[in-house]
Amino acid sequence: MEGRNEKLFARKRSFTFGAYGGIDKFITGNESSCAESVGHSILDILDSPSSEAKPLTSAPSSQKVTELFAIIEKLQGSRLDEQRCEFPPPLKTRLLKIGDGLPLILPPKSGGYWIDPPLDRHVETSPTLSQGGFGLESYDIMERDSEAKVYQEFFRHRYHHSFTACDPSLGPLVLSVCLEEEENRLRVILRMKECSIHGTFSVSLFQQLPTAVELAKMLCSSISVTCFEAVSYLKAPEIIMAFDEHRVSQNFKFGVLYQREGQLTEEDILSNTEESEEFLEFLSMLGQTVKLQGFTGFRGGLDVSHGQTGNEAVFTSFHGREIMFHVATKLPFTEGDTQQLQRKRHIGNDIVALVYQEGNTPFISDVIRSHFLHCFIAVRRIKRENEGEGGDGGSFQVSVTAREDVPPFGPPLPTPPIFTEGSVLREFLLTKLINAEISCYKAEKFSRLELRTRSSLLEALRSELSSRSQCMLGELSQPSIPLTEGGRSVPEGGGGFIENFKRAIRVRSHSFDTLGVPKKAGGVAGQRTKVSKNQ
């Protein structure tokens, strides 16, 4: 009976990971064989017992005192250290022992992320079951704002009218109306704090042309204003178009992490200084390695004058867009800095990152701590059975993970998620990266920030159009032309709203402290507040 109890209450080490370290548990001895088979739930690995059972004994007094001081020391440690808890050696060894039985990505024990392909499809996505992937024609790039180009395309070069109003409940409104005589229809776009609404109406629907209020109510029935103010400012189209397209960017920046066999922590991954031939081949597939000194393309926040962010970077153009990659191994390495903040300040401020894996060690979704990073795309080169010894190992397996409030985005992964051609993989990855960032902007943190920015810009636009129009009619004195930071005057049409727009963008890049993120002294790079893409 005593032996049975001793076995039943044998103490095993099991850690549940969260943001602030591990939680020690008691596990019965009967569970020791549960994780031996890869067929069991992969997540059980993170709670699996070690191989030896030891009786539960009281710790001597001196040991208790030592443990107490260790706990106090941990509680007093920096927030960075709390967030970067090391895997216990038994767990790390166990993960490495299982090796290729694990997928590319594992979810954190605290949850909060989705993974594609989902873990229950892992057996079906064996690298030996490769099938044909999707054709290039299926890789469509998402539009971040479908209404952003409407004004430029249908209004900018046609005779049209714009109107402004301030609704008691909806706030500032800017309405644009164009009569398309050849199609005998009215085209209308209404700008509100939350969004812009665009519509067309056949003229034959009306006995007489509707008023601005009637057109606005046809697009949004909640409008309660009784009149709009006509815009008579000659350069109104310029600043209206600047507002409509403030969310449109043809430039993107993405992080690239290099994860080698056995690397499970942020410190391990960010401390790599050497690049294997395999990794260099992957980078050459993504884009061209360029010298930063004097680089004239989109720089993605990297220093092109003084070499403070390294000497090289990977850059590419893709369907009219410029992409700069923040490759961890090409960013400055600081000896003695386990956090590698020089690297983290760039990659931690990206929204999407690629993870290139050499070996079979999985990537944990939340291992890189950042308030900005919302999505990771993991890529691993594999050798399929039919390649034999002479195969070039040119097949790649792909997996995607994102925070749970990021909507799914295309293009879809093939089943299984295996790519055998580098050109197809490149097209897929670049499209997936762009769509991932656009989809991440719909997550709660970014959507709140964008709503506040849009509201501020719309109010500035309405105020600018109203005051400039009254000046044109002689109802107000001409407002003084604002000065730039250097003291030179801005030409008319380039000040006012344009300057407010620039200020709002600058404010937006420093406003994550209002997103529920507490300020900390000596904060991590992941807390640095930089969202603006057009640097």
Side-chain angles (χ1 to χ4, degrees):
M1 187 65 178
E2 291 181 0
R4 183 171 178 268
N5 289 339
E6 183 178 72
K7 182 179 180 181
L8 183 63
F9 292 100
R11 188 177 191 273
K12 306 291 186 70
R13 293 298 303 274
S14 172
F15 277 75
T16 298
F17 288 94
Y20 297 100
I23 301 174
D24 224 351
K25 297 181 178 179
F26 286 96
I27 299 180
T28 64
N30 294 335
E31 296 175 353
S32 60
S33 62
C34 292
E36 294 299 323
S37 172
V38 177
H40 287 80
S41 171
I42 296 175
L43 293 180
D44 288 342
I45 295 170
L46 298 177
D47 274 329
S48 59
S50 56
S51 56
E52 298 180 2
K54 297 180 181 179
L56 181 63
T57 58
S58 302
S61 176
S62 59
Q63 182 180 344
K64 289 181 179 179
V65 172
T66 302
E67 290 178 353
L68 175 61
F69 279 106
I71 292 173
I72 294 175
E73 182 179 358
K74 179 172 179 60
L75 291 175
Q76 293 177 339
S78 68
R79 183 172 180 268
L80 290 175
D81 292 335
E82 289 173 344
Q83 290 183 337
R84 287 153 179 74
C85 48
E86 183 74 53
F87 279 87
L91 173 59
K92 188 170 183 177
T93 303
R94 194 167 179 75
L95 284 174
L96 299 182
K97 185 185 298 184
I98 291 176
D100 56 7
L102 291 174
L104 277 68
I105 299 173
L106 285 176
K109 292 298 290 182
S110 57
Y113 287 79
W114 55 260
I115 295 177
D116 184 29
L119 293 181
D120 56 8
R121 285 176 48 198
H122 178 53
V123 176
E124 301 174 17
T125 56
S126 166
T128 62
L129 301 176
S130 181
Q131 300 174 2
F134 289 84
L136 294 180
E137 65 277 3
S138 67
Y139 299 160
D140 297 324
I141 297 177
M142 296 167 57
E143 289 289 342
R144 185 176 174 189
D145 187 346
S146 59
E147 308 297 337
K149 295 288 187 179
V150 170
Y151 184 79
Q152 181 183 13
E153 183 176 355
F154 296 104
F155 291 79
R156 181 74 171 86
H157 302 292
R158 296 189 182 193
Y159 182 74
H160 67 280
H161 284 283
S162 294
F163 307 86
T164 64
C166 190
D167 190 274
S169 57
L170 300 179
L173 304 173
V174 178
L175 179 75
S176 296
V177 183
C178 178
L179 175 60
E180 299 177 346
E181 297 187 65
E182 59 275 16
E183 288 87 12
N184 196 36
R185 66 185 179 189
L186 288 169
R187 187 179 294 273
V188 188
I189 183 168
L190 175 65
R191 302 164 187 86
M192 302 183 293
K193 288 192 300 184
E194 291 80 9
C195 64
S196 295
I197 305 176
H198 168 241
T200 56
F201 305 97
S202 173
V203 174
S204 61
L205 294 175
F206 313 103
Q207 292 184 349
Q208 59 182 13
L209 290 178
T211 66
V213 173
E214 291 170 338
L215 286 172
K217 288 185 175 181
M218 292 175 70
L219 293 176
C220 178
S221 59
S222 301
I223 287 177
S224 59
V225 294
T226 57
C227 67
F228 275 78
E229 178 184 321
V231 174
S232 55
Y233 179 46
L234 295 179
K235 292 193 175 182
E238 178 183 337
I239 59 176
I240 290 176
M241 192 167 65
F243 170 82
D244 281 356
E245 299 182 10
H246 78 271
R247 299 176 67 220
V248 177
S249 176
Q250 299 301 312
N251 302 324
F252 294 86
K253 58 186 181 73
F254 303 112
V256 179
L257 299 169
Y258 179 36
Q259 182 185 18
R260 307 180 77 166
E261 182 73 52
Q263 294 184 336
L264 291 162
T265 67
E266 177 180 293
E267 286 79 6
D268 289 342
I269 295 172
L270 290 180
S271 294
N272 287 320
T273 57
E274 298 180 358
E275 300 170 327
S276 68
E277 287 296 324
E278 179 182 322
F279 181 54
L280 289 174
E281 288 178 13
F282 175 72
L283 293 180
S284 67
M285 181 190 68
L286 290 179
Q288 176 185 5
T289 299
V290 298
K291 296 291 184 183
L292 285 176
Q293 185 71 33
F295 181 69
T296 57
F298 173 64
R299 61 188 180 91
L302 299 180
D303 178 22
V304 296
S305 301
H306 307 291
Q308 295 182 355
T309 56
N311 299 318
E312 295 180 338
V314 177
F315 172 86
T316 192
S317 296
F318 183 67
H319 297 310
R321 298 161 175 85
E322 293 189 352
I323 301 174
M324 177 62 79
F325 292 96
H326 293 155
V327 183
T329 52
K330 296 186 183 300
L331 292 169
F333 175 82
T334 306
E335 198 72 43
D337 180 11
T338 58
Q339 313 291 333
Q340 291 304 318
L341 294 181
Q342 285 278 38
R343 295 176 170 184
K344 182 72 178 289
R345 67 185 288 260
H346 291 285
I347 295 177
N349 282 314
D350 293 327
I351 296 173
V352 185
L354 275 171
V355 182
Y356 189 77
Q357 300 177 338
E358 282 187 7
N360 298 309
T361 304
F363 180 82
I364 311 298
S365 298
D366 68 346
V367 72
I368 306 295
R369 295 288 176 176
S370 167
H371 294 301
F372 285 83
L373 280 169
H374 273 54
C375 176
F376 297 92
I377 301 177
V379 181
R380 181 188 295 170
R381 176 173 283 188
I382 58 173
K383 174 176 276 191
R384 303 192 342 259
E385 287 183 353
N386 58 359
E387 287 179 354
E389 293 297 325
D392 60 3
S395 298
F396 296 87
Q397 186 174 359
V398 179
S399 184
V400 182
T401 184
R403 301 196 189 193
E404 59 187 359
D405 58 348
V406 175
F409 49 89
L413 285 168
T415 304
I418 307 296
F419 294 85
T420 57
E421 297 181 21
S423 60
V424 177
L425 175 63
R426 179 182 189 273
E427 189 82 12
F428 175 86
L429 287 179
L430 296 183
T431 306
K432 195 77 168 175
L433 286 167
I434 293 173
N435 290 349
E437 179 163 316
I438 293 172
S439 192
C440 285
Y441 283 122
K442 300 175 183 176
E444 182 182 359
K445 284 184 179 180
F446 293 119
S447 60
R448 290 209 320 264
L449 179 59
E450 289 209 325
L451 177 60
R452 188 168 66 252
T453 301
R454 179 184 172 90
S455 300
S456 174
L457 290 175
L458 184 60
E459 175 55 38
L461 174 64
R462 186 206 64 79
S463 176
E464 181 82 1
L465 292 175
S466 177
S467 62
R468 294 282 187 177
S469 296
Q470 291 180 44
C471 290
M472 285 289 296
L473 297 174
E475 297 178 8
L476 284 178
S477 60
Q478 178 71 21
S480 59
I481 297 176
L483 297 177
T484 63
E485 294 176 359
R488 293 174 297 175
S489 60
V490 180
E492 186 181 5
F497 170 75
I498 299 297
E499 287 304 305
N500 288 335
F501 168 77
K502 292 178 180 178
R503 280 194 294 271
I505 293 298
R506 286 195 292 267
V507 169
R508 183 175 75 163
S509 69
H510 294 282
S511 56
F512 255 84
D513 54 350
T514 62
L515 295 180
V517 181
K519 276 192 172 183
K520 297 284 184 181
V524 297
Q527 290 172 295
R528 293 180 185 264
T529 53
K530 195 174 190 179
V531 172
S532 176
K533 311 302 291 179
N534 52 349
Q535 298 179 35

